[in-house]
Amino acid sequence: MSDFGTPPEIPQELQVYNSFEIDPKWQRNFTITWVFFTGFAVALSLPYLVHSICTRRAFAGLFGIREDLNGKEYASVAGSVEVPATHRSRAGALLKSAGSVLLWSLPGLRLDVGQVLVITGYLAIVLICTVTNAELINNANRAGFLAIAQLPVIFLFATKNSILSLLLGPGHGYEQLNYIHRWSGRSLFLGALVHGTLWARIHIENGLPVFGPRKEISGFTTFAVLCLIVLTSLRPMRALFYQMFLFLHILLYPAFLVTLSYHTSHAARWIYPPLALYGLDLLMRLLRLRIKDATLVPSSHQMTLTHIHNCNGGWEAGQHVRMRVFVKGRFLESHPLSIASAPPSITCLSSPTLLLAARAQGDWTEMLHDYARDQHDKLNGPNQKPEEGENVDVPVRVMLDGPYGGCSVDLGRYESVFLVAGGGGATFTLGLLDDIVGRCVRLARQHGERTRRIEFVWMIRSFGCIEWFTPMLTDIANTAAGSSVDLRISIFVTSSCDLKAAPTIPNCIVSVERPSVRRLLSRFITPPFSESDLSSGTPSSDSEDKEGLLGGDAGPQWVGEGGGVAVCASGPDSLTTETSNAVARLSLTHGVRMGGIALHTEVFLI
């Protein structure tokens, strides 16, 4: 001891671990880390966001669908202008090709390599902050502190109106970021499980009652509510009883936050941000809600088209809305439906409405189809087909929430566009096709669109499905005819059918087979003849194979290399996974030559 009476320093091994002083520091370390990486992702997206602002794609639908109460008319087709061949930056194409490895989708995980890396990094940060210099065996508070610190992450990546989605640019909606919400929720559950289990063990070893004071009772109550949230969120529950899952999810999370506040006073500061995020989400939903008049058009092949009237904008191609219908007491149920048409100022369709399409394959969609069919028979007679011209459509009132989501690839920046869809997923690619043809032809490339070559691929089970969108595809094909946009439509029927029964669509080839997406895309980016073939006058084997596949038609006219390729896929998970892997594979070998291959996939994973 010194002359001034300074006490000696206690050795580190003899110091008592002060959880309430040390563990909150690791909460802050975790928060600083994930906020930094999120900000880094936003910084990388800034060029894309700036471009989207310049082309007026950013913030589309921020305040909902715009209503046209004056019956505004839009100009007819204005013609098209020729666009010279362009070559994208080789460095950019090389970087995009190298990054294509992140698009590989791993079987069974429903995640691609890039998403797996994001989740692995996130879980690694949680683990490091949980175990570093922690005495979990004797004091399990660190796991509980880190579990609470993940609440802002869970709500940020769950809300439909997320600030992060706006900053990342179009095409990064809640449905694209929701995987982080799911995995951060699982991480919170594991942290709470470790926290509760270790504290129960400590109580048992020291002869203390597990259900003792209020803190222990509130802790077990909180964990019980969390278990209910997790159990009702499992995929089988979501797939079979989605509305029940949604109702319980909304009901149980407030209960969880309330019981958590009773369990520990340290939770308050981590509860306020989620409440603010959720409150902002509710406010934006109220601003976006629209109650509109609509008409239903039933199809004989389990498809119901919904035309929303008096809408003149407020959405972009590739976005979706959540729709409720005021029929048969199903008002409380809302379902996401892709918008299958571009805004009236752009669309090529003869009926410029906001078009939604719902395939009857669930309780709600079957109810909608049955109602539309029954009312149609009452208005037009039971023997009249919906496709006949003098039909009276079925009026209905709907509530729209949205739009949300969108395409993360601006098709106008690429010379070649490849759209592929399966079944009802064509609603997404049909909207994109309507938009890009309208921008290039009707608007005469006002924003410098480069697209000159489009292939629209649709895989269906029967010829009857073609009738769903025959009028729309015909309108778009007629608009593109004779313009600077070369559009080819390829429809593949996966069941044995009579080719003569297929409806006639301009520039459309119908085949009875289930082709490989990789083969189709490979042929799309391969020149029809090699230089040696041109000199010898002999077609290459690849071009011969291509002509055999498409019944003598080689697809869209070749426009050269270097202008970039945009690929968009929508439909079953198997189709989007196949497309992702095809792009990842072909981008490594052909990406630089083609000027880069961009990809967007659209699939709703319940």
Side-chain angles (χ1 to χ4, degrees):
M1 183 179 293
S2 64
D3 295 338
F4 297 95
T6 304
E9 183 176 342
I10 301 175
Q12 184 71 28
E13 60 272 13
L14 298 179
Q15 292 183 11
V16 177
Y17 183 82
N18 190 341
S19 171
F20 296 104
E21 178 181 347
I22 299 174
D23 292 344
K25 296 179 181 179
W26 287 100
Q27 283 183 309
R28 291 191 291 271
N29 291 339
F30 166 76
T31 302
I32 292 171
T33 304
W34 76 258
V35 168
F36 170 79
F37 282 107
T38 302
F40 182 69
V42 171
L44 291 178
S45 299
L46 276 179
Y48 172 65
L49 177 62
V50 172
H51 172 79
S52 301
I53 293 174
C54 294
T55 57
R56 299 180 182 179
R57 293 181 63 237
F59 315 127
L62 181 60
F63 297 106
I65 303 296
R66 295 199 302 271
E67 301 180 87
D68 181 12
L69 302 179
N70 299 319
K72 181 180 178 181
E73 295 290 338
Y74 291 92
S76 59
V77 175
S80 175
V81 295
E82 294 293 334
V83 56
T86 58
H87 292 274
R88 301 170 66 86
S89 167
R90 184 176 179 85
L94 183 62
L95 184 62
K96 186 177 290 292
S97 298
S100 64
V101 295
L102 301 178
L103 300 176
W104 284 102
S105 293
L106 304 180
L109 281 183
R110 300 180 180 272
L111 299 172
D112 58 37
V113 172
Q115 293 172 329
V116 169
L117 291 178
V118 170
I119 295 302
T120 302
Y122 177 84
L123 296 179
I125 295 171
V126 173
L127 181 62
I128 291 172
C129 292
T130 301
V131 302
T132 303
N133 297 328
E135 298 181 5
L136 290 176
I137 301 300
N138 299 319
N139 190 316
N141 280 348
R142 178 76 67 85
F145 274 106
L146 263 298
I148 295 173
Q150 296 179 75
L151 285 173
V153 181
I154 293 173
F155 278 77
L156 177 63
F157 290 93
T159 52
K160 291 179 174 56
N161 296 282
S162 171
I163 298 176
L164 183 59
S165 295
L166 295 177
L167 297 178
L168 291 176
H172 296 91
Y174 71 95
E175 74 285 356
Q176 299 290 335
L177 303 176
N178 192 258
Y179 74 99
I180 301 179
H181 161 73
R182 294 194 300 270
W183 281 93
S184 58
R186 293 162 185 165
S187 176
L188 183 149
F189 173 75
L190 290 177
L193 179 63
V194 170
H195 172 71
T197 302
L198 291 180
W199 268 120
R201 184 194 64 83
I202 293 172
H203 278 64
I204 293 173
E205 286 187 352
N206 291 277
L208 299 174
V210 176
F211 295 96
R214 190 188 74 171
K215 188 174 185 64
E216 281 73 13
I217 294 177
S218 61
F220 275 98
T221 303
T222 303
F223 186 70
V225 175
L226 182 60
C227 288
L228 287 176
I229 294 175
V230 172
L231 290 175
T232 56
S233 301
L234 295 177
R235 181 171 177 78
M237 178 68 177
R238 301 198 309 270
L240 297 175
F241 309 101
Y242 180 78
Q243 293 300 324
M244 183 179 296
F245 148 75
L246 191 61
F247 175 76
L248 291 176
H249 217 57
I250 296 174
L251 184 66
L252 289 175
Y253 252 112
F256 172 73
L257 296 179
V258 170
T259 55
L260 180 62
S261 299
Y262 276 100
H263 177 60
T264 173
S265 60
H266 293 271
R269 68 184 68 177
W270 302 101
I271 290 177
Y272 293 142
L275 292 178
L277 291 171
Y278 189 58
L280 177 62
D281 181 41
L282 292 179
L283 175 62
M284 293 303 299
R285 287 198 199 184
L286 288 175
L287 294 176
R288 291 179 176 218
L289 282 181
R290 300 289 187 271
I291 297 178
K292 300 289 295 180
D293 291 322
T295 53
L296 303 179
V297 180
S299 170
S300 59
H301 295 278
Q302 296 185 318
M303 175 62 72
T304 307
L305 302 179
T306 305
H307 294 270
I308 314 296
H309 304 293
N310 300 323
C311 300
N312 66 352
W315 78 90
E316 287 287 328
Q319 291 188 308
H320 67 273
V321 295
R322 301 190 70 89
M323 186 178 80
R324 304 173 190 262
V325 291
F326 295 85
V327 296
K328 292 190 174 182
R330 306 295 286 268
F331 169 71
L332 295 178
E333 297 184 41
S334 67
H335 287 255
L337 298 174
S338 295
I339 302 175
S341 60
S345 60
I346 302 175
T347 186
C348 306
L349 306 185
S350 56
S351 177
T353 61
L354 191 155
L355 177 63
L356 305 175
R359 183 180 180 182
Q361 55 184 359
D363 291 343
W364 187 85
T365 50
E366 289 179 355
M367 176 278 301
L368 185 67
H369 184 76
D370 291 341
Y371 175 81
R373 171 66 60 193
D374 294 341
Q375 294 300 312
H376 178 272
D377 291 344
K378 291 180 181 179
L379 293 172
N380 301 279
N383 297 322
Q384 191 172 11
K385 296 181 180 180
E387 294 82 3
E388 296 180 359
E390 298 300 325
N391 284 344
V392 177
D393 294 332
V394 180
V396 70
R397 268 293 176 93
V398 300
M399 176 181 286
L400 302 180
D401 175 16
Y404 299 108
C407 183
S408 61
V409 178
D410 182 0
L411 303 186
R413 301 180 67 184
Y414 299 85
E415 285 192 356
S416 301
V417 172
F418 185 84
L419 306 174
V420 58
T427 54
F428 175 79
T429 54
L430 181 64
L432 294 180
L433 180 65
D434 185 24
D435 176 77
I436 189 58
V437 173
R439 287 161 60 190
C440 292
V441 180
R442 288 202 62 189
L443 301 187
R445 305 180 186 271
Q446 286 183 357
H447 298 289
E449 285 80 6
R450 306 172 181 174
T451 306
R452 299 192 293 160
R453 177 173 177 251
I454 305 172
E455 181 160 359
F456 181 89
V457 177
W458 188 18
M459 301 180 189
I460 52 178
R461 293 183 179 179
S462 67
F463 282 123
C465 300
I466 303 178
E467 298 176 359
W468 295 347
F469 305 124
T470 295
M472 287 73 88
L473 289 173
T474 300
D475 287 342
I476 297 172
N478 288 334
T479 302
S483 71
S484 60
V485 176
D486 184 19
L487 168 65
R488 300 299 169 93
I489 301 171
S490 302
I491 300 178
F492 297 93
V493 184
T494 57
S495 62
S496 298
C497 298
D498 181 11
L499 280 172
K500 296 180 181 179
T504 301
I505 300 174
N507 290 333
C508 177
I509 298 297
V510 180
S511 305
V512 181
E513 65 172 302
R514 170 57 169 92
S516 163
V517 176
R518 185 181 67 82
R519 286 178 55 208
L520 293 175
L521 183 57
S522 178
R523 288 165 182 159
F524 183 72
I525 64 175
T526 300
F529 301 99
S530 65
E531 293 182 2
S532 60
D533 293 331
L534 289 174
S535 61
S536 63
T538 304
S540 66
S541 60
D542 184 75
S543 64
E544 291 176 354
D545 188 18
K546 184 171 185 178
E547 290 185 344
L549 175 68
L550 297 180
D553 186 88
Q557 181 180 358
W558 182 253
V559 296
E561 302 173 349
V565 180
V567 179
C568 296
S570 176
D573 183 48
S574 58
L575 176 66
T576 56
T577 299
E578 182 184 358
T579 305
S580 297
N581 291 339
V583 171
R585 180 175 180 176
L586 294 173
S587 186
L588 289 175
T589 54
H590 302 283
V592 176
R593 173 177 64 85
M594 295 302 300
I597 303 177
L599 172 70
H600 177 90
T601 58
E602 188 81 3
V603 57
F604 276 92
L605 294 178
I606 298 177

